[in-house]
Amino acid sequence: MKKIIATLFALCVMSSVQATEMAVVDFRAALLQSDAGQEAAKEPKQQIAAMDARLKKEQEALNQMAQDLKRDELTLSPDEFQKRRQALAENDNKVRSMAAAMQRQAKELEQNLIQSLTPKGEAALKSLIEERKLDLVLNRQLSLYANEKSDLTNELVARINKDK
C-alpha cells in the first residue's frame, strides 16, 4: 500500500513539474556588437576621441603649469607665487569639470545609441524567443551562473545582423 501511494505521489509530482526553458542575454553588448551597432557607433566614437584629445591637451597644459611653478618657486615673489598657484588650482578645477562633463556626454551618446538600436534588437530577441520557445530570458549580468548553451548574446548579434 505504501509503495502504491509513493508511486502515485511521485507521478503527481512529476506531472506537476514543467520544464521551463530559460536563457540569458547581454542585450546591450549584443546591440553594440552588431553590424548596425558598430556602424552607428562610428560617429560617437569620433566625438569621444576628439573630446579625449582635447582633455589630454588641457591636462598637459596643466602639468606644464605645475612644472613651471615648481621650477620658478624660489625665484618668484610671494604674491606672484600665490597668483600662479591660484591660477593652477583654477585650471585644475576646470580640467576636472571638463573631464566630468565629457564622461556625462559620452554616457549620453551611448544611451542615445542604445535607444536607437533597441527596437531592432527587441524584434530580433522576440523572434529568437519564439523560435526557441523560451519561457524566461534573463539579463546575463543578473544571473549567477549560466552555461554557454543558455547564453543567447552571440545568437542575438547574428540575428540582428541577419535582419538588417
Side-chain angles (χ1 to χ4, degrees), residues 107-124:
K107 193 172 208 159
E108 197 174 293
L109 286 170
E110 182 182 345
Q111 287 173 343
N112 290 341
L113 177 64
I114 296 293
Q115 277 183 332
S116 69
L117 296 170
T118 294
K120 188 175 201 170
E122 285 176 342

Side-chain angles (χ1 to χ4, degrees), residues 6 11 16 88 104 132 137 151 153:
L11 287 174
S16 69
L88 181 64
R104 281 191 304 275
R132 285 185 162 214
V137 177
D151 190 341
T153 305

Side-chain angles (χ1 to χ4, degrees), residues 39-59:
E39 184 63 34
K42 284 181 181 176
E43 186 180 333
K45 281 182 182 179
Q46 289 173 347
Q47 290 176 346
I48 290 169
M51 289 187 296
D52 191 43
R54 195 170 82 227
L55 181 62
K56 284 181 182 175
K57 186 177 176 183
E58 291 291 330
Q59 287 172 332

Side-chain angles (χ1 to χ4, degrees), residues 91-130:
N91 281 349
D92 184 49
N93 287 337
K94 182 178 117 181
V95 169
R96 287 176 192 263
S97 65
M98 179 186 284
M102 288 179 180
Q103 283 180 332
R104 281 191 304 275
Q105 190 173 1
K107 193 172 208 159
E108 197 174 293
L109 286 170
E110 182 182 345
Q111 287 173 343
N112 290 341
L113 177 64
I114 296 293
Q115 277 183 332
S116 69
L117 296 170
T118 294
K120 188 175 201 170
E122 285 176 342
L125 181 59
K126 185 176 179 182
S127 69
L128 273 175
I129 290 169
E130 290 170 356

Side-chain angles (χ1 to χ4, degrees), residues 73-92:
E73 181 177 1
L74 297 175
T75 60
L76 294 173
S77 69
D79 285 343
E80 183 62 26
F81 177 75
Q82 202 58 21
K83 284 179 188 176
R84 286 178 59 180
R85 191 169 171 203
Q86 186 174 3
L88 181 64
E90 288 171 3
N91 281 349
D92 184 49

Side-chain angles (χ1 to χ4, degrees), residues 6-18:
T7 304
L8 286 173
F9 180 74
L11 287 174
C12 289
V13 169
M14 287 181 8
S15 67
S16 69
V17 174
Q18 293 181 348

